[in-house]
Amino acid sequence: MKARPTEPVAIPPQVPVRDLAALLEVAPMEIIRELFKHNILANINQVITYESAALVAKELGYETLEAAPPPTQSAQKHEPSGHAGGHHEAHLVHRSPVVTVMGHVDHGKTSLLDTIRKTRVAAGEAGGITQHIGAYQVEVNGKKITFLDTPGHEAFTAMRARGAQVTDIAVIVVAADDGVMPQTLEAIDHARAAKVPIIVALNKMDKPGANPDHVKSQLADAGVVIEEYGGDVVCVPVSARQNTGIDELLEMILLVADVQDLKANPQAKVLGAIIESRLDKNRGVAATVLIEQGSLKVGDVVVVGAIFGRVRAMFDDKGKQIKKAGPSTPVEILGLPEVPRAGDRLVEVADEKTARSLATQHAQQQKVESAGGTRAISLDSLSSEIQAGKVKELNLLIKADVQGSLEAIKQTLDRLDEDTVKVRILHDGVGNISETDVHLASASNAVIIGFSVKVDSAAQRLAQNEGVDIRSYDVIYKLGDDIEAALKGMLEPTYREQVDGHAEVLQLFKVGKTTVIAGCRITDGKLMRSSQARVLRNGKVVLSGQIASLRRGKDDVREVASGFECGVTLEDFNQFEVGDVIEAFSKVRA
């Protein structure tokens, strides 16, 4: 075992497992294994408390101290994770705020970003060719602001789902002539779920139909109360087209950032997040990284998930080649052998041997996660999570057929708060359950409740991959009863049917006076002895029962796979006909 540092390791009040592994310089699987010993089930992206992290660190031979939480949640998530010899208060420096711009389609989000980019390039860089790397910096009164040029709240939340908490401030763009729209509400809910401060940019103030007072009233109805109305949300009127109000917006961003007192440690080991990546036919894999702590240098060895490599070259958002990049700086790097996903974490390591080991461990963890194990919480698991003290609130995302249903559901849920767990509605809306809903639920550890709505097929697939629990109802009192039972730990587990395979009956064999064996060929999947099965004849169910025996030749077998022939008997059923289809199925936890 390598020597442990003599200084205590500073750990934030909340830290993702992946980041804790980077702090302690061990493989994520080692952290997960130690947590499991203490009955804490966690995956690589799970956020754990300081208490749990300190428990693991102690087992691994480290002393710890809790990093003092900054004034806001957003600042907290960027508190330098620390590293041996690099997390003293003296090493912390102020860093630039990282801003994501979101809003309804056609409300001018892209125009606003373009206007800011064109008019406020950093001093001495005017005339430089701006590279589209998914992020850029502007300079205001000698201070820099980093903008993430992402495609809205879907990318913002997808990154959160993978553990990347990179945004400090969310600017919500609302058109003054159009008002608050469904995607505006979604953007607000996504920003709230991430617990970042909101600034409203009231765009298109030059339009004849602009009605800012009406928009401010709509925002208040949505729970976003601006300062003018006695709230704490900054609202800035702008016109991206006429380039008015832009300076005021940038100054307000800096003001909100000053309140947060954002700091990072440029001397710590590098921790960053992939903003976007692509395969360039001339340069190979190009990945944009937002540095969160430390200073990335050309030649550094880095790990991104199951990928590792050495930084061959580094470019800023103007396309200028640079040698070093500090906290809150977006840079494009070359040197990774594969294209990483947006939201994946980048970690600096000492050498390629360490990098290979971490990447291998991550690949193994990905296999474990893909083989099973849910990421988000489910109603079935809620009771054990409450008892373990890991859940203080139940996050819900609600979609209903009409607004009236939504209001009735919210009234029902308002009465269900328990002493130990509070019900928190992250987002509600009218319409089918979409991929965007699943992204938000995954990122926020939430359960999706659907009332008389469908689940989009793409959303269903994503939910299965992400382990998101979707519950569908058409009776409100049943919905309320299930949530209440889950909060009290009395919810009966639900099961869904899983089809295991099909077999076509080719011929029949009579054994003794009554027993009939169906000679079959397995057409897909597999048949297993003691599986449940139904007999289908011309598409209709003739019988539902259980497989009594499976035979291959003279041998009894436990299962038969696709493409093979076998003999099948069912309990208490002898009326097979040639051409029947035997469908094997099982019940699995929903």
Side-chain angles (χ1 to χ4, degrees):
M1 179 180 275
K2 65 183 178 183
R4 299 304 189 196
T6 55
E7 292 182 48
V9 176
I11 298 175
Q14 292 190 322
V15 59
V17 168
R18 186 199 304 270
D19 292 358
L20 181 62
L23 291 181
L24 304 182
E25 294 187 296
V26 297
M29 188 63 78
E30 198 167 341
I31 302 291
I32 293 165
R33 196 178 294 119
E34 290 296 333
L35 287 167
F36 184 76
K37 289 179 185 176
H38 296 281
N39 297 319
I40 301 171
L41 298 175
N43 60 50
I44 198 164
N45 293 319
Q46 197 102 17
V47 176
I48 60 174
T49 62
Y50 167 79
E51 288 74 19
S52 298
L55 203 63
V56 171
K58 185 178 180 182
E59 294 285 340
L60 296 175
Y62 288 86
E63 288 187 17
T64 64
L65 58 88
E66 185 172 3
T72 69
Q73 174 73 18
S74 181
Q76 171 185 311
K77 67 194 174 207
H78 288 290
E79 187 72 12
S81 304
H83 221 274
H87 45 259
H88 293 304
E89 194 69 31
H91 293 146
L92 297 179
V93 298
H94 285 281
R95 62 172 182 79
S96 308
V98 180
V99 179
T100 295
V101 179
M102 300 187 283
H104 190 74
V105 66
D106 296 331
H107 277 200
K109 174 175 66 74
T110 303
S111 300
L112 182 62
L113 282 164
D114 288 344
T115 302
I116 293 170
R117 183 194 286 115
K118 289 172 185 173
T119 58
R120 296 306 302 244
V121 292
E125 294 175 342
I129 300 172
T130 301
Q131 297 290 106
H132 183 84
I133 65 171
Y136 63 88
Q137 283 189 320
V138 300
E139 192 168 296
V140 183
N141 302 329
K143 296 181 179 180
K144 290 185 177 181
I145 301 171
T146 300
F147 284 92
L148 297 188
D149 191 3
T150 58
H153 58 259
E154 294 89 347
F156 170 79
T157 307
M159 288 176 64
R160 283 187 60 232
R162 298 191 187 111
Q165 300 268 15
V166 296
T167 301
D168 299 306
I169 298 169
V171 172
I172 309 292
V173 181
V174 189
D177 64 332
D178 201 14
V180 173
M181 302 296 283
Q183 282 180 295
T184 315
L185 295 173
E186 280 191 8
I188 290 168
D189 287 338
H190 285 237
R192 280 177 175 154
K195 297 182 179 177
V196 296
I198 291 171
I199 294 176
V200 174
L202 204 52
N203 194 26
K204 303 190 181 184
M205 288 295 290
D206 56 307
K207 286 285 194 78
N211 187 347
D213 289 336
H214 177 62
V215 178
K216 292 171 186 176
S217 176
Q218 287 182 312
L219 287 167
D221 290 341
V224 178
V225 184
I226 65 171
E227 291 177 328
E228 185 183 331
Y229 285 15
D232 58 358
V233 177
V234 174
C235 180
V236 184
V238 299
S239 170
R241 180 180 294 180
Q242 295 191 349
N243 192 12
T244 58
I246 303 300
D247 288 349
E248 290 79 2
L249 176 62
L250 297 175
E251 286 169 7
M252 283 300 172
I253 289 171
L254 288 176
L255 184 64
V256 172
D258 284 344
V259 172
Q260 291 179 271
D261 193 28
L262 304 171
K263 291 182 180 180
N265 184 351
Q267 297 182 31
K269 283 285 183 77
V270 175
L271 189 65
I274 303 295
I275 302 302
E276 65 179 39
S277 57
R278 67 185 190 282
L279 184 61
D280 188 299
K281 62 180 180 181
N282 297 318
R283 303 186 300 163
V285 174
T288 301
V289 182
L290 179 71
I291 310 300
E292 296 178 72
Q293 71 169 29
S295 298
L296 186 65
K297 299 177 290 295
V298 172
D300 283 349
V301 179
V302 295
V303 178
V304 184
I307 305 166
F308 71 93
R310 191 180 292 273
V311 179
R312 286 195 292 109
M314 199 156 50
F315 304 87
D316 66 10
D317 57 323
K318 305 297 181 294
K320 179 184 174 184
Q321 196 158 352
I322 57 176
K323 297 291 185 183
K324 184 178 179 181
S328 293
T329 305
V331 288
E332 187 174 65
I333 65 168
L334 306 179
L336 293 176
E338 299 173 38
V339 178
R341 299 182 307 173
D344 279 353
R345 311 312 303 276
L346 176 142
V347 179
E348 175 200 357
V349 294
D351 50 45
E352 291 193 6
K353 182 180 178 182
T354 306
R356 184 176 287 106
S357 173
L358 281 174
T360 301
Q361 291 282 355
H362 183 82
Q364 291 173 348
Q365 175 64 18
Q366 282 183 323
K367 286 182 182 177
V368 170
E369 287 186 2
S370 62
T374 57
R375 288 261 298 272
I377 196 169
S378 69
L379 288 189
D380 290 337
S381 68
L382 184 62
S383 176
S384 59
E385 299 270 355
I386 294 170
Q387 290 172 8
K390 290 186 283 184
V391 173
K392 299 298 181 187
E393 60 184 12
L394 172 61
N395 292 331
L396 295 179
L397 191 152
I398 304 170
K399 297 299 285 288
D401 52 346
V402 293
Q403 192 66 37
S405 300
L406 269 183
E407 296 306 320
I409 291 167
K410 287 194 281 187
Q411 287 176 11
T412 299
L413 295 177
D414 280 344
R415 300 191 292 267
L416 294 185
D417 279 359
E418 291 288 306
D419 292 337
T420 52
V421 180
K422 301 298 180 184
V423 176
R424 178 184 176 213
I425 299 175
L426 287 181
H427 174 68
D428 61 76
V430 173
N432 290 342
I433 296 167
S434 67
E435 281 185 283
T436 301
D437 298 324
V438 178
H439 276 309
L440 177 55
S442 176
S444 307
N445 214 20
V447 175
I448 298 177
I449 302 294
F451 184 80
S452 297
V453 294
K454 295 179 180 178
V455 183
D456 295 346
S457 56
Q460 189 75 62
R461 288 192 299 271
L462 182 64
Q464 289 174 350
N465 292 336
E466 297 289 330
V468 171
D469 188 11
I470 299 179
R471 297 287 177 127
S472 296
Y473 297 91
D474 51 20
V475 179
I476 289 179
Y477 79 80
K478 172 61 176 165
L479 184 161
D481 286 350
D482 275 7
I483 300 294
E484 185 174 22
L487 291 172
K488 293 179 177 177
M490 298 184 298
L491 182 67
E492 291 293 326
T494 59
Y495 295 88
R496 63 179 173 84
E497 187 178 287
Q498 175 179 285
V499 175
D500 298 318
H502 294 91
E504 183 182 358
V505 178
L506 304 178
Q507 52 186 314
L508 306 176
F509 305 95
K510 192 168 183 180
V511 179
K513 292 184 178 180
T514 56
T515 304
V516 175
I517 299 175
C520 304
R521 178 183 294 114
I522 312 300
T523 55
D524 64 84
K526 61 183 177 181
L527 262 63
M528 293 176 286
R529 193 171 62 216
S530 299
S531 283
Q532 291 178 280
R534 59 175 67 93
V535 178
L536 307 176
R537 186 173 299 157
N538 299 321
K540 295 182 179 179
V541 178
V542 176
L543 167 100
S544 287
Q546 196 156 4
I547 294 176
S549 68
L550 283 178
R551 297 183 68 88
R552 291 263 301 144
K554 296 181 179 179
D555 299 324
D556 280 316
V557 292
R558 293 185 64 183
E559 65 178 58
V560 184
S562 177
F564 290 95
E565 295 183 353
C566 62
V568 180
T569 63
L570 297 184
E571 290 183 359
D572 302 320
F573 183 75
N574 292 308
Q575 286 78 49
F576 288 110
E577 292 183 9
V578 173
D580 285 350
V581 173
I582 299 174
E583 182 176 73
F585 63 95
S586 53
K587 300 283 188 179
V588 296
R589 287 282 288 265

